[in-house]
Amino acid sequence: SSPRLDGRDLKDSLPEKYSFLHPAEGWEDGFMLISLPVEVSGRVNLGETGADFAKVLTDGRAQIFISVDFAGLSRQKTARALDNLSAFIRRQDDPVIIFGNFNTVAWSKTLGGFIAKNGLQVKNALTDNVRSLILPPRHYILGYEQNNVSGSLIMPYLNSFSPFTRF
């Protein structure tokens, strides 16, 4: 089986070159949709939650994509998850790109500290922050300055909290 969106099987709607990566627990915990060659993938334990990751090859270089979802976590549990994520990042030899719902704004002490500690930058497209005055964003794409990644969050509905991320 494959994930469903609005009652439709997503696998039937995708070009052949795409494949799903997901945790062993099932689709409801989230998934990555990828068209790049995957060297290794898995799930890292962050305490109260986990994060899916995939080491992919792009233009002959390896990059590690990490998908997070901290929705519903308290501030303290989010801070602990970010500390555990920092430990995972330090063990990587390749650049990381982290995306998803961080359940806080980038300028918060918790997420801002995580970004600075790991030498990351927010890589969201400018249009992703249009609603920032009304509803501050909590979905971010983080990467290193030198890896030249850019991405945009694609929301099927204006107030969706389950955006797709594309690079």
Side-chain angles (χ1 to χ4, degrees):
S1 89
S2 66
R4 300 180 70 74
L5 179 67
D6 293 335
R8 294 188 350 234
D9 192 328
L10 281 180
K11 195 163 198 122
D12 296 338
S13 305
L14 300 173
E16 284 184 33
K17 67 179 183 174
Y18 287 90
S19 61
F20 292 108
L21 299 177
H22 62 89
E25 292 83 25
W27 300 115
E28 62 276 356
D29 291 327
F31 60 89
M32 282 190 197
L33 178 64
I34 197 155
S35 66
L36 301 168
V38 177
E39 196 170 289
V40 66
S41 67
R43 187 161 174 88
V44 61
N45 184 349
L46 300 178
E48 297 291 323
T49 189
D52 294 319
F53 70 91
K55 183 176 183 178
V56 300
L57 302 174
T58 58
D59 299 325
R61 298 178 332 188
Q63 294 187 75
I64 299 171
F65 288 80
I66 305 168
S67 174
V68 301
D69 185 0
F70 298 155
L73 293 184
S74 68
R75 197 174 323 181
Q76 184 179 35
K77 289 178 181 176
T78 297
R80 193 172 315 124
L82 288 171
D83 285 343
N84 292 334
L85 185 55
S86 288
F88 178 76
I89 291 169
R90 282 191 303 273
R91 293 191 304 268
Q92 305 312 306
D93 294 329
D94 301 301
V96 297
I97 298 162
I98 307 154
F99 61 96
N101 183 348
F102 288 86
N103 196 29
T104 188
V105 293
W107 55 89
S108 71
K109 182 178 178 183
T110 305
L111 186 53
F114 169 80
I115 290 169
K117 176 179 174 178
N118 292 290
L120 300 168
Q121 293 182 340
V122 174
K123 297 290 194 167
N124 291 35
L126 185 60
T127 55
D128 289 340
N129 296 315
V130 169
R131 298 183 306 153
S132 63
L133 295 176
I134 300 166
L135 183 64
R138 294 176 183 267
H139 291 90
Y140 293 99
I141 301 166
L142 306 177
Y144 300 118
E145 179 180 9
Q146 63 272 22
N147 70 359
N148 295 324
V149 69
S150 65
S152 57
L153 304 174
I154 305 168
M155 297 189 195
Y157 309 105
L158 180 60
N159 292 317
S160 170
F161 292 99
S162 300
F164 292 101
T165 305
R166 77 172 171 201
F167 297 94

